[in-house]
Amino acid sequence: MTASTTSVPAAETAGGGRPFVVGIGGTLRAGSSTERALRHCLAAVERRGGQTALFCGADITLPMYNPHDPDRTPQALALIEALRRADAVVIGSPGYHGGISGLVKNALDYIEDLRGDPTVYLDNKPWGCITCAYGWQAAVGTLGQLRAIGHALRAWPTPLGVAINSAESVWDAEGRLIDDTVAAQLDMLATQVLTFAGARP
């Protein structure tokens, strides 16, 4: 697939600052395909002038979300505060048995803590989606779930979502991205996230 999106040479939010993009996802295995894809996308955000923070692995190994228990671990508080400040969010999930992983879904459930904020949940914020699975069916199905979750959280899923089939040769033995199509899609996702972050009122 080929496509193009106008690049953002010096990204700024509507308020004039550098947009802050939060990435969430990956697996409990360091260097997973999902984590690599998130890192690639966030690196592209930074090259285009954005600021980023990544929460993956141990950062999102959180207690099961309980809206009736106000106690939060330091990791949960850090995630919630980053999301509160975020101008945009990029979510990456593996496709486990055809759907989003429990690890990622539980982390996203903590967004419920933003329900009483002036900006409820992620209202009007760009929401980029990346999925990785060993086969197209789970990758694409999981992508649809992430987009639906974004809508439920009042965010704006970007036109492009990136589904990666890990059964194909996407990474080399050192973990470098070697699939030019996937690289172009992740770069385009970064551009769209920044473009829409700058268009927010």
Side-chain angles (χ1 to χ4, degrees):
M1 183 184 83
T2 59
S4 62
T5 298
T6 303
S7 62
V8 183
E12 292 187 354
T13 62
R18 293 174 61 202
F20 178 49
V21 180
V22 173
I24 303 171
T27 74
L28 293 177
R29 178 173 61 86
S32 67
S33 294
T34 312
E35 180 182 328
R36 292 173 185 170
L38 269 170
R39 289 185 183 279
H40 184 98
C41 185
L42 293 182
V45 166
E46 292 186 353
R47 289 195 301 272
R48 289 160 173 76
Q51 305 174 74
T52 68
L54 175 61
F55 293 82
C56 63
D59 303 320
I60 56 173
T61 307
L62 307 172
M64 290 299 294
Y65 180 71
N66 181 355
H68 307 295
D69 182 357
D71 289 339
R72 296 289 178 259
T73 65
Q75 292 92 338
L77 291 172
L79 174 63
I80 294 163
E81 183 54 33
L83 288 166
R84 181 172 280 125
R85 296 191 299 111
D87 296 299
V89 179
V90 178
I91 305 298
S93 177
Y96 286 169
H97 306 121
I100 182 174
S101 73
L103 179 74
V104 173
K105 180 59 169 65
N106 187 54
L108 297 181
D109 286 345
Y110 277 83
I111 297 174
E112 181 66 18
D113 282 8
L114 304 181
R115 66 188 178 277
D117 281 19
T119 299
V120 180
Y121 299 137
L122 300 174
D123 189 43
N124 217 31
K125 295 183 180 184
W127 173 270
C129 302
I130 301 169
T131 61
C132 296
Y134 203 78
W136 285 114
Q137 181 171 321
V140 174
T142 304
L143 183 63
Q145 291 179 4
L146 285 182
R147 294 174 70 84
I149 291 169
H151 282 297
L153 293 171
R154 306 187 187 185
W156 287 98
T158 56
L160 177 69
V162 181
I164 300 172
N165 182 357
S166 300
E168 299 183 350
S169 298
V170 180
W171 317 94
D172 67 14
E174 284 72 44
R176 290 184 294 260
L177 182 56
I178 57 174
D179 186 310
D180 291 341
T181 299
V182 171
Q185 290 177 347
L186 292 171
D187 288 353
M188 189 190 307
L189 181 61
T191 297
Q192 289 186 353
V193 163
L194 287 173
T195 298
F196 302 136
R200 290 180 61 218

